[in-house]
Every structure is written in structure tokens, then in C-alpha cells.
Amino acid sequence: MLKDFFSKKKHASKPSEEAKQDIPEGLMLKCSSCGKIYYREEMRKQLYVCQKCGHHHQLPSDERINSLFDEGSFLEYDTNLETGNPLEFPSYSQKLEKDQLKTELKEAVVTGEGTVNGFRTAFAVMDSRFRMASMGSVVGEKIARALEKAREEKIPFIIFTASGGARMQEGALSLMQMAKTSAAVQRFRDAGGLMISVMTNPTYGGVSASFASLGDYNFAEPGALIGFAGRRVVEETIREKLPEDFQTAEFLLDHGQLDAVINRHDMKKYLTTILDIHQAGGHVS
Amino acid sequence: MRQVLEFEKPVIALREKIAELKKFTKDSDLDLSEEIVKLETRLEKLENDIYTNLKPWDRVQMARHADRPTTLDYIEHLFTDFLEFHGDRYYGDDAAIVAGIAKYKGQPVTVVGHQRGKSTKENIRRNFGMPHPEGFRKAARHMQQAAKFGRPIICFIDTKGAFPGRAAEERGQSEAIARNLMEMAGFEVPIICIVIGEGGSGGALALGVGDRLLMLENSTFSVISPEGAASILWKDGGKAKEAAEKLKITAQDLKELGVIDNIIPEVRGGAHRDLASQAELVDQAITENLTQLEKMDKQVLLEKRWEKYSNIGAYTE
Ligand SMILES: [Zn+2]
């Protein structure tokens, strides 16, 4: 739905000399913002943040989990949920199968729990490699269940969001996941639970307009594009050119929509501090 | 002038013919009453055939009909002492949403609904019923008040969707919708939501979390407009008709999928044909559901509301 956000260079710059060389695919990666070429392994170690320009590239969910949770502490929830094709939408099943093969994921979100520098917390990590992390029945169900689990266990809930929006092929069932997940947040908050939302690139549509915006703290990664309607739709509607930084994390921060923009390298330390402060004084302990 | 929908044309043509014959009978010596009776029987059958076999795309047209009753039309017929209140207290007053207090058969209620215009001028003023964040926040403010004073909430849903504009994004369209979804899940008063026209995506759902989600027979409720889906799926907005079928956006389909609780029947030919009779049908539905909900203990009400939403979805495990 929002395919262009991935390829779009936010601050377009001339590709470097290195970028023009013919590099075998797979071994090397090119920064989509400044064009600098990296060995894949080097980029992976840097959590896919460009050392030259700081651009935050897509981070696969398993690597995100490894970067945040203490070694060996990760326990995955609800590993067997799979989407059917409730509307019998043409070619939907094939698309799911293709993405399952490509990503080795069953769906666009991984949920579970673990410890972050010793603090036990439930979490959900959305993975935009799978169907643009659009929200269908399984995404909604897994997130709602993780929130319920966190409520029962009296532990915090951290979510890393990414989404192109609704899973169109599931029609209104997809839409209703907004209500389901938001209702789960309501129950969790009502019980005094701490919820932290970290929005990553891109977070749009139904995900942006439900749990992603409902944290006690709402953060974003640098440069992440976040909004209800996509840039192109907005441009077509109002027929005016939008500022270049429209809907970036920094733009939202300026407009009072976020608590802070957090660099991926600082994330674990930052979250640890928040968990520590709430452990010391909040309801969740 | 009344807007004529494509699928209704045979009905309109036959009606005109009957009217013509009646006039002819009256003006001349020729008695055509036998012929007229025949045609009227045929009309009856034709109307039945057409209106009971509407295709999803026909219903989209019906839901968008220029004369289709709006929130304020229903408010006028269903409630007394309606007082409209304005503003979200943060930024402005969004005319795409109306909200206020009223009495329903003597009982205090809070009423909130999307409001589109019937004329171009009014549509511009009301932004075609497409709210900005301040509209959703106005709605939230009134629903919070309803919860405080223990008044049931009646929501009317009638929007193409939340407005996709620059200012809306800057002021937190996503947050405004999300907050409504969350808070509506927790208000300790009965909430009845009724889709009366188009129920477009998150902007519709932002008034749609409650104990009952009801749809008028010819209304639609969808994650994306058929045109939008067609242009994404097939790069061809012209295939909207096909998308309307695939997306399952009619009341009948959504009842089957477990998305809505019930269907409110429409007068033959659509709600716009007879507002007073249609309002009566809506009235019956509100009374019936409100009676059921008011018997429930607050905790039971909330628990059942949660169960209802947590059960929506299709997956294997
Ligand atoms: Zn770079």
C-alpha cells in the first residue's frame, strides 16, 4: 500500500563513487539514503544504521529482539497462529506463502517476553518484510494476546511498530483489529500496566491509528515515516506540495506527537532507564 | 431533484408509465384501469426483485445517495430536547461531527455522529463528513461526559473516512482515532453504534466501538473504499464494482463474518424513500438493544464488550 516509502530517499543525495560500482548482490548492502556501500555483516553489526549518514534501515524482527533482550531470556508467545483467507480473496494465500518462505516468519509480528538488562517485559515486534506488516487477524490477535498476558503477569509491554496499514485482503476483519488491540490496551492500562510504543519506518494507517499511538510513552526511530494517511494520498487530496520532512519522526516530534526520537544504538539503554524508573515507583513491578 | 441510481431505472420507468396511464384514464374516455392494475402488480414484483437482490455495488450507491438520511435527520426523529455542543477545547470545532445531549423516550442520552451535507455548500462546510482530529476529540469529550453522568451513548456512523489532509496529520489524526477506540472500549455505559451510510475505515470505527454495532440494510462498512482497493489491487479505480464484491462490505456479509451484531432493515427502495418510516425502524432497534444492555451490570457490560471485539478475526492455531 505504501511501497514508495521504502525506496524513497528522504534526504536525497548524490550516490558516492562506491555506489556506482557493480557490487554482487547479497554480500554487500548500499545505504538507501547516502549510497555508501557496506559489507552485509558490517551493516548487521551496526543494526542496519548507516555509520556515515545515520539512516536507520529496516531491521529484521529477530535481530531487533537480539539487540534488546538479554541473551537466552527470550520466550516467544503464540508461535502457531496463521492467517486463513476468510474473504477467499484472490491470490492472498499465495502471497502469504511467499512471504512466509522469504522471511521464515508465520506472520508480520513476533510476540513474547524477555528481560532487558534484567527487567522482565512482554513485547511485540512487527516485521515489515512480511506483507508490509499490514494488520490482519493474526497480527491483531497476537498483539491483543501479548497485552493480555502482560496484564495477567503484571509486566510492562513494549511494542516496536511498523506497518503499511490494513491487510486489505481481510477486509473489515482487518479493520476490527484496530478495535481489538485498542480494547486490549485499554484493559492493560486500566490495570496499571506500562506500555511503551516505538514506531519504526514505516508506521501507517490502522496500526498508527490504534496501539502504536497508545503507549504511555510514544517514541520513534530517527527518520521513521509515521502517519494516518500516506504522503501521496495527502498530496492528492489537498493539492499542495508537502514539506520534505512531512511525517518523519522529527516532524512529528516538532508537532508534539511524540515523546522522543531514539537512535537504535541507544534503544536498550533508554528502555532500561524507563523500566527502572517504573519499577521503582509505578504499579508494575 | 431526486438522484436516480442505475439499478433503479427499470422501476422508475415503470412508475412513470403507470402515472402516464393514470393521467390518460383521467383525461380521456378510455378506461385503462385493468391495464394499470396489471402494471402495478408488475411494478410490485419488479421492485421486489430489484431491491431484494441488490449487489454490493448497488448498496454502495445507495449508501452514498445524496438524499440518504444523515445523523441530524435521525436525531430530529428519534430524540427530544437535543442540544448540540461544539468544540474539542484544544483546537476548534469540526462540523464533520455533531455531538450533544438529548432525551430518548424521556431518558438522557449522549448522541454523536458523523455529519455530511446534502448540498454542495453544506458539504463543504462539513468537509463531506470527513473529520479532522478535533472532530474525534469532540466526540471523545462528549462520550467521557456520558460515562461520567451515566448516560448511554448512541453513535451514528456516516463517513467516507477520516480526512487525509496535512493539518489533520500535523494535529495527530492517528492519535485522535486511536484514543477513541481505546476509551470507547472502557466507558461504563451502554454504547450503541449504527452505520447509517458509508462506514469508511478508521474514521468510521472511531465512533464504532461499543456494545452493539448495527448496520442499516443498505449501508456499507469497509477497511478501504472500493475505488481505493481497486486502484491498489489492480491499478484500476474503475474496477471498484469488483472490489466491492471481494471486500465484503455489506451488512449481510459483515453479519456473517461476525463483524456486526445486527442489521436494521430499510424501507423498500432505501432509507431516503421514507425518512419517518426509516427512523421508526432505527427506533425499534435502539429500544430493543438499549433495553438489553441496561439490564447488565457495568462489569458484565465491559466484559462482554471486550469478548465481542476479542473474538473478531479469522486464523488457525
Ligand atoms: Zn547512509
Side-chain angles (χ1 to χ4, degrees):
Chain A
M1 197 178 297
L2 295 157
K3 225 182 285 168
D4 52 340
F5 288 117
F6 279 121
S7 52
K8 186 162 262 156
K9 286 169 194 160
K10 187 167 67 66
H11 300 291
S13 53
K14 255 177 96 178
S16 64
E17 280 309 305
E18 301 133 278
K20 290 175 187 162
Q21 290 168 20
D22 211 15
I23 307 286
E25 220 184 308
L27 185 61
M28 310 295 280
L29 287 173
K30 186 170 79 173
C31 172
S32 66
S33 180
C34 75
K36 188 172 158 60
I37 306 284
Y38 292 91
Y39 281 106
R40 181 179 285 274
E41 190 52 26
E42 187 188 2
M43 194 65 142
R44 203 176 68 80
K45 276 185 188 148
Q46 291 301 323
L47 302 174
Y48 301 89
V49 177
C50 175
Q51 282 176 279
K52 189 178 166 203
C53 74
H55 185 78
H56 283 51
H57 298 90
Q58 191 181 57
L59 178 64
S61 48
D62 55 336
E63 300 196 43
R64 165 118 32 214
I65 288 163
N66 288 336
S67 78
L68 291 167
F69 290 91
D70 305 334
E71 216 183 317
S73 74
F74 167 56
L75 169 74
E76 191 176 346
Y77 298 158
D78 302 308
T79 50
N80 289 323
L81 261 64
E82 271 187 82
T83 306
N85 187 356
L87 270 48
E88 291 169 7
F89 215 93
S91 74
Y92 180 40
S93 300
Q94 290 89 308
K95 282 176 177 163
L96 290 170
E97 252 170 62
K98 206 175 125 209
D99 281 7
Q100 284 174 338
L101 278 173
K102 187 182 79 188
T103 61
E104 296 179 1
L105 296 167
K106 285 230 170 78
E107 252 291 345
V109 68
V110 178
T111 57
E113 64 170 80
T115 58
V116 179
N117 282 319
F119 295 103
R120 188 180 165 217
T121 180
F123 71 92
V125 179
M126 302 183 78
D127 197 319
S128 55
R129 294 172 305 159
F130 192 102
R131 299 271 89 222
M132 279 294 293
S134 57
M135 179 156 62
S137 298
V138 170
V139 169
E141 180 67 17
K142 283 179 86 171
I143 290 169
R145 285 191 192 184
L147 277 156
E148 281 288 284
K149 180 90 174 158
R151 185 175 67 87
E152 285 156 16
E153 296 287 318
K154 298 190 189 315
I155 53 176
F157 178 74
I158 303 176
I159 184 156
F160 287 84
T161 70
S163 186
R167 185 78 56 88
M168 203 170 41
Q169 295 90 342
E170 292 189 31
L173 290 175
S174 161
L175 180 64
M176 298 311 275
Q177 302 310 308
M178 292 172 69
K180 180 196 283 187
T181 53
S182 300
V185 174
Q186 193 277 330
R187 283 161 69 84
F188 179 65
R189 283 173 69 129
D190 204 41
L194 163 69
M195 171 163 158
I196 301 170
S197 168
V198 183
M199 295 175 235
T200 73
N201 189 45
T203 295
Y204 274 89
V207 165
S208 169
S210 62
F211 52 85
S213 297
L214 294 173
D216 293 289
Y217 306 102
N218 294 331
F219 302 123
E221 288 192 329
L225 291 166
I226 301 157
F228 179 66
R231 182 190 183 100
R232 205 171 32 193
V233 173
V234 175
E235 263 175 349
E236 280 167 13
T237 305
I238 62 173
R239 285 173 202 161
E240 78 181 64
K241 206 166 150 34
L242 295 162
E244 199 190 345
D245 67 346
F246 184 67
Q247 294 184 324
T248 60
E250 294 74 14
F251 179 90
L252 264 73
L253 186 69
D254 275 351
H255 284 85
Q257 306 298 334
L258 291 173
D259 286 289
V261 175
I262 316 292
N263 191 294
R264 197 174 285 164
H265 291 300
D266 303 329
M267 194 64 76
K268 185 165 182 175
K269 188 163 171 284
Y270 199 91
L271 293 175
T272 303
T273 306
I274 295 175
L275 293 169
D276 181 38
I277 287 173
H278 286 77
Q279 177 117 335
H283 291 286
V284 177
S285 59
Chain B
M1 214 182 80
R2 183 147 276 181
Q3 181 190 352
V4 175
L5 304 175
E6 194 57 40
F7 62 86
E8 292 183 303
K9 280 184 178 162
V11 173
I12 307 287
L14 193 53
R15 261 203 216 118
E16 275 165 7
K17 189 164 181 202
I18 293 169
E20 205 178 288
L21 291 187
K22 279 183 177 165
K23 189 171 180 292
F24 191 77
T25 304
K26 213 177 120 199
D27 297 348
S28 70
D29 296 335
L30 217 57
D31 182 10
L32 295 170
S33 50
E34 209 172 302
E35 180 72 4
I36 290 168
V37 168
K38 255 190 219 162
L39 285 181
E40 278 176 338
T41 315
R42 216 167 95 195
L43 177 67
E44 172 84 18
K45 194 182 168 303
L46 187 66
E47 282 199 323
N48 237 344
D49 281 354
I50 288 182
Y51 293 120
T52 52
N53 289 302
L54 291 179
K55 298 276 179 295
W57 185 245
D58 300 334
R59 295 194 199 272
V60 170
Q61 303 312 308
M62 200 81 111
R64 291 174 179 172
H65 198 288
D67 299 327
R68 192 163 173 89
T70 66
T71 295
L72 283 173
D73 291 325
Y74 288 111
I75 287 177
E76 198 189 316
H77 276 77
L78 296 170
F79 306 102
T80 54
D81 300 318
F82 175 67
L83 300 175
E84 187 186 348
F85 301 131
H86 298 275
D88 69 341
R89 299 295 184 272
Y90 299 113
Y91 179 82
D93 183 43
D94 188 345
I97 283 187
V98 295
I101 58 175
K103 278 187 181 166
Y104 179 67
K105 302 188 196 305
Q107 179 188 5
V109 291
T110 285
V111 190
V112 181
H114 301 97
Q115 184 63 45
R116 54 184 178 78
K118 286 188 182 170
S119 64
T120 306
K121 199 178 154 200
E122 205 199 347
N123 252 326
I124 288 165
R125 183 169 87 81
R126 297 197 179 275
N127 201 31
F128 296 83
M130 301 173 84
H132 281 73
E134 45 273 24
F136 296 121
R137 289 176 182 139
K138 170 165 71 175
R141 195 168 70 78
H142 285 91
M143 292 191 282
Q144 286 155 6
Q145 216 171 60
K148 176 183 172 186
F149 293 112
R151 290 191 290 264
I153 300 166
I154 315 286
C155 291
F156 294 102
I157 296 168
D158 187 16
T159 184
K160 287 185 187 303
F163 187 64
R166 176 180 175 169
E169 293 290 322
E170 287 176 344
R171 295 200 286 274
Q173 189 72 291
S174 287
E175 195 272 347
I177 294 170
R179 183 159 296 273
N180 277 20
L181 303 180
M182 178 177 74
E183 292 200 4
M184 289 179 86
F187 291 137
E188 292 177 333
V189 291
I191 305 175
I192 296 175
C193 310
I194 306 170
V195 187
I196 57 172
E198 273 185 283
S201 188
L205 191 62
L207 299 185
V209 179
D211 306 295
R212 294 287 188 273
L213 180 55
L214 311 174
M215 279 178 80
L216 259 60
E217 193 183 335
N218 297 314
S219 64
T220 58
F221 188 66
S222 180
V223 69
I224 185 170
S225 71
E227 289 85 348
S231 79
I232 290 168
L233 287 169
W234 306 298
K235 313 272 171 259
D236 181 1
K239 287 191 174 167
K241 201 170 169 175
E242 200 180 329
E245 309 254 344
K246 298 269 189 291
L247 283 170
K248 307 248 188 271
I249 61 176
T250 65
Q252 291 72 13
D253 282 338
L254 293 169
K255 176 91 169 42
E256 263 170 51
L257 282 169
V259 169
I260 65 162
D261 298 289
N262 251 316
I263 302 169
I264 302 176
E266 286 192 25
V267 295
R268 189 151 72 181
H272 59 283
R273 283 283 169 80
D274 183 351
L275 171 59
S277 304
Q278 188 58 53
E280 252 172 63
L281 292 165
V282 175
D283 193 10
Q284 282 167 22
I286 294 177
T287 298
E288 187 190 322
N289 286 287
L290 202 53
T291 312
Q292 293 164 6
L293 296 171
E294 288 197 307
K295 283 185 196 139
M296 288 181 202
D297 173 79
K298 278 179 191 173
Q299 278 318 306
V300 175
L301 189 74
L302 288 193
E303 201 57 41
K304 281 199 179 289
R305 194 182 299 162
W306 161 248
E307 263 172 37
K308 171 172 134 71
Y309 286 93
S310 66
N311 283 332
I312 300 178
Y315 52 85
T316 58
E317 192 173 8

